[in-house]
Amino acid sequence: MNVRHILTTVFLLIVLSSASAQKISYLQSLETPNQWVDSVFNKLSKRQKIAQMFFVRAHTNLGKAYEDSVGLVIKKEHLGGVVFFQGGPGRQAILTNEYQSHSKVPLLITSDGEWGLGMRLDSTISYPYQMALGAVQDKNLIYKMGLEVAKDYKRLGMHMNLAPDVDVNNNPKNPVINFRSFGENKYNVANKASAYLKGMQDGGLLVSIKHFPGHGDTDVDSHYDLPQLKFSKERLDSLEIYPFRELIREGAAGVMIAHMNIPALDATPNMPSTLSKPIVTGLLKGELGFKGLIISDAMGMKGVVKYFKDGEADVMGVIAGNDILELSENSGRAIKLVRKAIRQDRISMERIDESVKKILTAKYWAGLNLKDTINEHNVLADVTRPESFQLRQKLADASMTMLRGKDYIKTLSPENRTVIISLGTPNVTSFQQDLGGYYKNSIFYTLDKNANANAIAKVMKDINLFDQVIIGIHDTRTRPGNGMILSEDLRMFIKDMAGKNAVFALFANPYNLSALPGLENSKGLVVAYQKEDFMQQSAAAVFKNQLITTGRLPVTVNTFFKYGDGEKPEIILP
């Protein structure tokens, strides 16, 4: 080999090595001198620096007048970013290009996507809710989900996902977290959240773990009032704060602060954690050593503005140590009030500068130093990739949790006469249709959630003619919270059938098992967590003996169904 060939080979190796080198993390980039950040920062006026800390709400399903009004606010106020809510992916790509064109400093584009784009955008993919993911034992699947979500976000020109939720849901009555949590066990929550977070960050997306210091043990929704946590600092430190501490150690780029009153951490009456300097600066930045982006929960929620009105909440949020205040009631007013607070020496410019540099560094890390326009063609196809749907089905399969009857379900025969019933819905379900293709000698019945004794009696008179009974219990609400509505007659029917040879699939939040007595005696019970067709497909595969369940219950329901329950697959030794 001559010298030229050797040099060429060395050059190619260097190029390949640099191309495959891991991009430095956002936190690492904060420690690195950055000419672009300094250049942009030095050109900003005091007012423009303050404006970088405020992010406005945007929709693409509320009409052009609304879209234009948001565009005017961005243009007039020179805000730092946008939080997208409901709409469509193609429309959002177009509107993002328009909004970026209005802004001298590129906007940081964010959205809540705890279960992917489908949390906000129509026609896009929704992965299983975190409660179902809490049952999954293969966290590599959750890591892959994070990578897929990052691809989707970046395709739409978004830079940050306000997720994952790392609240430990140890209060079954929690009205706002619940199915959004990985469950009640702090180690399981931290483990699964870590996989999701790493997938997104390795995919080039900023994240925001939430809701610090923990929103899992409350029965009040902070959208409508100010919840209070009355626990000791020791309890909070050992339980609620545990996942945050672990993920901060693992390099989480952002943390979102909850609106909660926590006397053990700040004794000021009615003080929301978002506005508390002892919590945001003292605990999060000081004790836990967090150096990344600190984001407030939405600043229009009653939990934060109930006691601090007319823009005072925005000022106190800045004083407390938040870098980004999202969805202020009035960003223009907020910027003026922060400027006034600086003149009154309530806030220093050094405090503002610290946040602005962190925000600009985030923009640089996300690639906003390079002018770019989102490709507005084939958007929907690009965010609904076949591999994403395949991964979703694998996650659904892995979440299936067998609480009763592994051996009995093996005895179900495709040749036997089978009645397949769906409860809670008037329509034949995909669960029934899927099973019907396997159990050729079968018949379907549906009983709506309000079914009375007469409707049930018509089904009962035929059941004795069949050898096998498979029942799906369906929560048809948009979100699978507690309190699934089933008539008292239906509940009695479930209890009666559980005492016979029926097997059940629950397409609902597992907490709902507590309101369905008798299922603990059933011949077979599979928890499928939510109503979507991909979960019904997985459950059907279980009852066709085509899928071995590996899921573990992520919460304790009652004395019969406890955290970690789930039939373990047989280990066949060589």
Side-chain angles (χ1 to χ4, degrees):
M1 184 180 288
N2 61 33
V3 174
R4 177 179 289 180
H5 285 141
I6 293 172
L7 290 174
T8 301
T9 302
V10 170
F11 175 76
L12 286 172
L13 287 172
I14 291 171
V15 169
L16 289 171
S17 173
S18 63
S20 62
Q22 186 74 29
K23 178 183 179 180
I24 68 167
S25 71
Y26 167 67
L27 295 179
Q28 290 171 325
S29 69
L30 287 170
E31 306 297 325
T32 306
N34 190 304
Q35 186 178 356
W36 183 84
V37 169
D38 292 341
S39 173
V40 175
F41 178 83
N42 291 331
K43 291 174 185 173
L44 296 175
S45 67
K46 287 184 179 180
R47 190 191 186 286
Q48 289 169 338
K49 287 178 181 177
I50 297 166
Q52 283 295 301
M53 300 176 68
F54 289 89
F55 283 39
V56 69
R57 183 186 191 104
H59 286 253
T60 58
N61 68 334
L62 298 180
K64 192 170 188 312
Y66 181 90
E67 294 172 5
D68 290 347
S69 69
V70 173
L72 285 173
V73 170
I74 291 169
K75 196 170 186 178
K76 179 182 177 184
E77 306 295 347
H78 304 290
L79 301 180
V82 169
V83 184
F84 270 104
F85 284 81
Q86 281 73 18
R91 286 169 282 158
Q92 183 170 311
I94 293 167
L95 194 59
T96 298
N97 280 335
E98 181 182 329
Y99 287 167
Q100 290 287 21
S101 72
H102 294 330
S103 188
K104 292 180 181 178
V105 178
L107 297 161
L108 194 71
I109 309 294
T110 72
S111 177
D112 281 292
E114 294 165 27
W115 46 91
L117 288 181
M119 183 170 174
R120 299 297 181 193
L121 301 182
D122 61 39
S123 312
T124 57
I125 187 167
S126 287
Y127 290 94
Y129 298 125
Q130 289 189 189
M131 182 68 77
L133 298 180
V136 173
Q137 299 306 294
D138 182 2
K139 68 178 185 179
N140 188 50
L141 288 173
I142 301 173
Y143 172 82
K144 289 178 179 177
M145 171 182 147
L147 289 175
E148 291 298 298
V149 170
K151 288 179 189 175
D152 291 340
Y153 264 61
K154 292 175 74 175
R155 176 62 184 87
L156 292 185
M158 290 195 284
H159 316 107
M160 184 177 210
N161 190 359
L162 302 175
D165 189 309
V166 305
D167 297 311
V168 180
N169 200 86
N170 44 10
N171 186 338
K173 296 180 181 179
N174 194 318
V176 63
I177 304 304
N178 205 293
F179 65 89
R180 297 165 60 192
S181 167
F182 289 108
E184 70 176 35
N185 181 282
K186 65 182 182 180
Y187 302 110
N188 189 44
V189 169
N191 195 30
K192 305 297 168 54
S194 171
Y196 188 18
L197 176 147
K198 287 178 180 176
M200 287 191 285
Q201 292 195 160
D202 286 355
L205 197 62
L206 295 159
V207 305
S208 174
I209 58 178
K210 61 188 182 185
H211 305 82
F212 184 83
H215 208 316
D217 198 349
T218 173
D219 56 7
V220 173
D221 186 341
S222 53
H223 288 87
Y224 306 111
D225 206 343
L226 179 63
Q228 187 176 71
L229 289 186
K230 296 182 179 180
F231 306 116
S232 67
K233 188 176 188 300
E234 291 72 27
R235 146 68 195 258
L236 293 164
D237 187 65
S238 65
L239 182 56
E240 276 79 7
I241 294 173
Y242 176 83
F244 292 95
R245 181 186 299 110
E246 291 302 302
L247 296 184
I248 286 168
R249 284 176 181 164
E250 293 181 17
V255 173
M256 179 182 285
I257 312 295
H259 304 314
M260 293 187 300
N261 178 245
I262 313 171
L265 301 181
D266 188 336
T268 309
N270 301 319
M271 177 62 74
S273 41
T274 341
L275 312 186
S276 168
K277 192 170 183 178
I279 292 174
V280 179
T281 296
L283 175 58
L284 180 57
K285 296 170 75 172
E287 291 183 37
L288 298 184
F290 181 63
K291 299 184 185 305
L293 283 170
I294 301 174
I295 304 107
S296 77
D297 207 343
M299 292 299 291
M301 292 164 61
K302 296 299 182 187
V304 70
V305 298
K306 181 177 180 179
Y307 298 103
F308 300 90
K309 301 180 184 298
D310 303 323
E312 177 61 12
D314 296 307
V315 174
M316 292 183 63
V318 174
I319 294 172
N322 292 280
D323 299 307
I324 294 171
L325 289 94
E326 58 156 348
L327 316 185
S328 167
E329 289 181 310
N330 185 324
S331 55
R333 177 184 67 184
I335 293 165
K336 290 177 183 176
L337 288 174
V338 171
R339 293 183 72 191
K340 181 179 178 181
I342 292 170
R343 291 194 297 271
Q344 294 173 337
D345 291 329
R346 294 180 67 194
I347 303 172
S348 69
M349 270 313 296
E350 288 75 18
R351 162 74 200 90
I352 302 294
D353 291 349
E354 176 192 0
S355 289
V356 174
K357 286 180 179 178
K358 286 163 72 174
I359 293 165
L360 292 176
T361 302
K363 292 181 177 185
Y364 179 86
W365 188 87
L368 284 166
N369 57 307
L370 302 173
K371 286 279 186 182
D372 195 13
T373 301
I374 304 164
N375 180 356
E376 297 175 1
H377 301 288
N378 302 314
V379 176
L380 180 59
D382 289 345
V383 296
T384 51
R385 301 176 300 280
E387 57 268 29
S388 299
F389 290 104
Q390 292 164 9
L391 175 61
R392 181 175 71 177
Q393 198 60 57
K394 288 180 181 178
L395 286 162
D397 289 351
S399 73
M400 292 296 110
T401 305
M402 180 87 73
L403 295 182
R404 295 287 185 273
K406 178 181 71 171
D407 293 331
Y408 182 79
I409 288 173
K410 287 178 182 177
T411 68
L412 297 177
S413 169
E415 309 303 324
N416 288 350
R417 293 170 300 174
T418 307
V419 59
I420 307 167
I421 307 171
S422 283
L423 307 180
T425 173
N427 304 313
V428 171
T429 62
S430 60
F431 177 62
Q432 289 173 296
Q433 292 169 337
D434 200 338
L435 288 173
Y438 178 80
Y439 293 98
K440 299 295 185 181
N441 192 6
S442 64
I443 190 170
F444 301 160
Y445 289 103
T446 62
L447 289 167
D448 194 9
K449 61 185 179 182
N450 299 314
N452 58 26
N454 290 334
I456 293 168
K458 292 177 183 177
V459 176
M460 287 290 287
K461 71 182 177 65
D462 292 338
I463 284 179
N464 292 332
L465 302 175
F466 292 86
D467 305 308
Q468 301 170 158
V469 181
I470 302 173
I471 301 175
I473 304 171
H474 300 258
D475 184 353
T476 58
R477 295 174 297 171
T478 304
R479 299 283 183 259
N482 296 358
M484 177 176 58
I485 297 171
L486 293 175
S487 70
E488 194 57 40
D489 290 331
L490 269 184
R491 294 178 194 275
M492 289 300 297
F493 173 68
I494 291 170
K495 185 175 183 180
D496 183 41
M497 295 308 300
K500 297 178 180 177
N501 289 340
V503 293
F504 295 83
L506 180 74
F507 300 102
N509 185 319
Y511 287 126
N512 288 289
L513 287 169
S514 64
L516 299 172
L519 284 177
E520 67 276 6
N521 302 317
S522 62
K523 290 288 187 180
L525 174 60
V526 172
V527 176
Y529 297 97
Q530 53 192 84
K531 66 182 176 66
E532 281 69 25
D533 285 348
F534 57 86
M535 301 300 268
Q536 295 188 47
Q537 181 178 328
S538 294
V542 175
F543 289 106
K544 292 188 290 186
N545 286 300
Q546 296 171 352
L547 175 65
I548 297 172
T549 59
T550 58
R552 299 284 179 274
L553 200 62
V555 294
T556 293
V557 176
N558 52 28
T559 56
F560 303 111
F561 307 116
K562 297 180 180 178
Y563 170 82
D565 284 356
E567 294 277 9
K568 296 177 176 61
E570 295 176 8
I571 299 174
I572 300 174
L573 298 175

